[in-house]
């Protein structure tokens, strides 16, 4: 029997009409792309309405993200769907405003702080194990992964569990919001004229307003606790009390709502997606599951030191992030004319970076579509990790939560496998599709049995 391959969506035919492309796009951006993007260094999409370039060569990716990020700011196309929810959050801003926000946020995620955050993460992982004990049998694991990832965010940010009334409501409303508003829609690639009205599905704006009101309750309450000298030492307190080293200013209450909204959104959907895929992969490759389960005995030690022993778990999680990067594509905009691979890139071009394609590039990776967590020890894996692996983006706009997410991912994966066996469910192979993050079309089903 040949080894199973991790699921990959079928690519579209090489040539399709613009109309058909738009329709495919609306269904799912991954299967809307042709197979040649897994081999191309760059591709241009030229249509009567817009011009965009997909950049898929390590040197070009580096130029966009690391060498000249100011020439390629975040495209405001991406903001189209998210503005009502995220306001002026760090995810959407550019230039001086963005720099100021990062100066205040970054200290909360510095390496040393992870140790302080760890007990809250661990408590969320233990709560998940308790939930799964009651749920054994066939389980849709994406929903469970979202639950635990949201729990991690609330516990680390606000020291409250997901069962807290406000936290639970934010969680459920976010779920509805993301269903109604994919992070990357056609508008992210197509330059819509400014006069064209933007349509949000019914309820989207209302839902965003309610989420923001709920978050405001939490931040107002926290501000009062800070003033009273009674605030817990968590991420929210850290961010709300950090002063910009350049201006001395801190976030005001409204800004803090924007930032909390993005922490929640960026920090839970992404981790949940990666965790669900990692669990599916170990179900597909049970020999790895056994390796991780054995390694997870290190968690008998409940201190942060145990995390450094979860090396194989990190390799598996890293491989899940390679095969199913939660943020499959990112968009930037050329702020000035440029030349890429002897082609003119006019000002205003949409520059698409595709972790999805780069991570499976046939000319870069050994066994690009295969599951092989050992690859990270090989020369090819090490080289590709440096040049062609960007699940957290790269350069100054790199995900501030990357270190946090790697600890969280390995911890929860190990914690689950320490207590349970997971198996695939016949007839329910997941088909990857890009929603807000890379999800499966009909959920990811696993059979879960206590060890
Ligand atoms: C596996 C988990 C995660 C993945 C794969 C991930 C991935 C990413 C990526 C690719 C970006 C860049 C997006 C772009 O430039 O268009 C990003 C940005 C961001 N992420 Fe994460 N992320 C994860 C977890 C987290 C966590 C746990 C947090 C916070 C608690 C977080 C907070 C943010 C924020 C605030 C930004 C915006 C940064 C900026 O634009 O300067 N992420 N993330």
């Amino acid at each position: 029997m040949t080894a199973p391959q991790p699921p990959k969506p079928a690519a579209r035919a090489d040539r399709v009409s613009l109309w058909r492309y738009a329709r495919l796009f609306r269904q799912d951006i991954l299967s809307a792309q042709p197979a040649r993007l897994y081999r191309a260094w760059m591709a241009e999409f030229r249509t009567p309405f817009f011009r965009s370039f997909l950049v898929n060569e390590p040197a070009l990716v580096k130029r966009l993200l690391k060498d000249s990020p100011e020439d390629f700011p975040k495209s405001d196309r991406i903001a189209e769907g998210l503005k009502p929810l995220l306001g002026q959050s760090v995810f959407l801003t550019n230039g001086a405003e963005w720099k100021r926000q990062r100066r205040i946020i970054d200290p909360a995620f510095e390496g040393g702080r992870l140790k302080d955050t760890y007990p809250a993460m661990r408590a969320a992982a233990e709560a998940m194990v308790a939930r799964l004990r009651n749920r054994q049998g066939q389980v849709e694991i994406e929903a469970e992964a979202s639950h635990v990832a949201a729990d991690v965010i609330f516990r680390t940010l606000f020291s409250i569990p997901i069962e807290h009334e406000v936290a639970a409501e934010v969680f459920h409303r976010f779920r509805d919001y993301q269903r109604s508003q994919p992070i990357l829609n056609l508008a992210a690639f197509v330059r819509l004229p400014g006069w064209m009205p933007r349509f949000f599905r019914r309820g989207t704006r209302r839902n965003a307003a309610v989420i923001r009101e709920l978050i405001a309750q939490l931040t107002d309450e926290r501000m009062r606790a800070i003033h009273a000298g009674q605030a817990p030492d968590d991420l929210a307190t850290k961010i709300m009390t950090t002063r910009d080293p350049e201006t001395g200013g801190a976030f005001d209450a409204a800004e803090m709502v924007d930032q909390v909204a993005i922490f929640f959104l960026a920090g839970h959907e992404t981790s949940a997606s990666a965790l669900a895929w990692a669990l599916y992969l170990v179900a597909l490759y049970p020999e790895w599951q056994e390796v991780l389960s054995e390694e997870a005995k290190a968690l008998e030690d409940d201190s942060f030191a145990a995390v450094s022993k979860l090396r194989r778990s990190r390799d598996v999680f890293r491989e899940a992030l390679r095969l199913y990067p939660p943020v499959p594509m990112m968009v930037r905009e050329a702020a000035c004319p440029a030349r890429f691979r002897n082609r003119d890139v006019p000002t205003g071009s949409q520059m698409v970076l595709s972790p999805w394609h780069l991570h499976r590039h046939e000319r870069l990776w050994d066994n690009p579509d295969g599951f092989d967590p050992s690859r990270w020890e090989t020369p090819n894996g090490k080289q590709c990790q440096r040049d062609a692996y960007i699940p957290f983006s790269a350069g100054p706009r790199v995900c501030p939560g990357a270190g946090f997410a790697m600890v969280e991912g390995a911890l929860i994966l190990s914690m689950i496998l320490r207590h349970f066996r997971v198996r695939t469910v016949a007839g329910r192979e997941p088909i990857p599709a890009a929603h807000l993050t890379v999800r499966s079309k009909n959920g990811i089903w696993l059979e879960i049995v206590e060890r």
Side-chain angles (χ1 to χ4, degrees), residues 74 90-91 98 102 109 153 262-263 266-267 270-271 274 317 321 326-327 330-332 390-393 396-402 404-405 408:
K74 208 146 191 185
V90 65
F91 192 78
W98 167 78
R102 286 289 297 240
F109 291 94
I153 289 291
I262 187 59
F263 287 141
T270 46
S271 295
F317 194 69
L321 287 170
V327 181
M330 297 178 271
V331 186
R332 299 292 190 263
I390 50 167
F392 297 107
S393 186
R397 262 207 119 120
V398 69
C399 172
F404 178 105
E408 175 192 9

Side-chain angles (χ1 to χ4, degrees), residues 42 44 53 60 63 338-345:
M42 177 162 152
E44 182 174 350
F53 295 86
L60 298 181
R63 187 164 148 201
R339 249 181 109 66
F340 273 40
R341 292 186 68 83
N342 292 327
R343 265 192 263 184
D344 282 325
V345 173

Side-chain angles (χ1 to χ4, degrees), residues 48-61:
F49 314 111
F50 68 98
R51 212 157 158 188
S52 66
F53 295 86
L54 185 133
V55 170
N56 216 17
E57 184 191 20
L60 298 181
V61 172

Side-chain angles (χ1 to χ4, degrees), residues 18-88:
L18 179 62
W19 177 243
R20 171 116 184 94
Y21 187 46
R23 282 196 37 205
L24 286 167
F25 222 108
R26 273 179 49 193
Q27 286 160 19
D28 165 39
I29 51 171
L30 299 180
S31 50
Q33 311 306 331
R36 67 186 151 84
L37 295 188
Y38 294 107
R39 293 183 295 276
W41 296 127
M42 177 162 152
E44 182 174 350
F45 302 95
R46 201 190 280 224
T47 74
F49 314 111
F50 68 98
R51 212 157 158 188
S52 66
F53 295 86
L54 185 133
V55 170
N56 216 17
E57 184 191 20
L60 298 181
V61 172
K62 179 166 170 282
R63 187 164 148 201
L64 267 171
L65 293 177
K66 290 187 177 165
D67 300 342
S68 321
E70 299 198 342
D71 294 344
F72 302 98
K74 208 146 191 185
S75 163
D76 49 358
R77 302 305 114 215
I78 196 86
E80 297 266 346
L82 294 170
K83 268 257 157 68
L85 180 64
L86 301 180
Q88 286 295 308

Side-chain angles (χ1 to χ4, degrees), residues 354-374:
S354 176
W356 179 274
H357 291 95
L358 189 64
H359 290 181
R360 293 172 181 255
H361 203 289
E362 292 164 10
R363 296 203 242 171
L364 297 170
W365 296 87
D366 290 343
N367 188 13
D369 291 330
F371 173 75
D372 178 12
S374 304

Side-chain angles (χ1 to χ4, degrees), residues 147-162:
H147 195 144
V148 67
D151 198 16
V152 166
I153 289 291
F154 278 110
R155 286 178 195 255
T156 53
L157 257 181
F158 284 108
S159 303
I160 52 177
I162 190 74

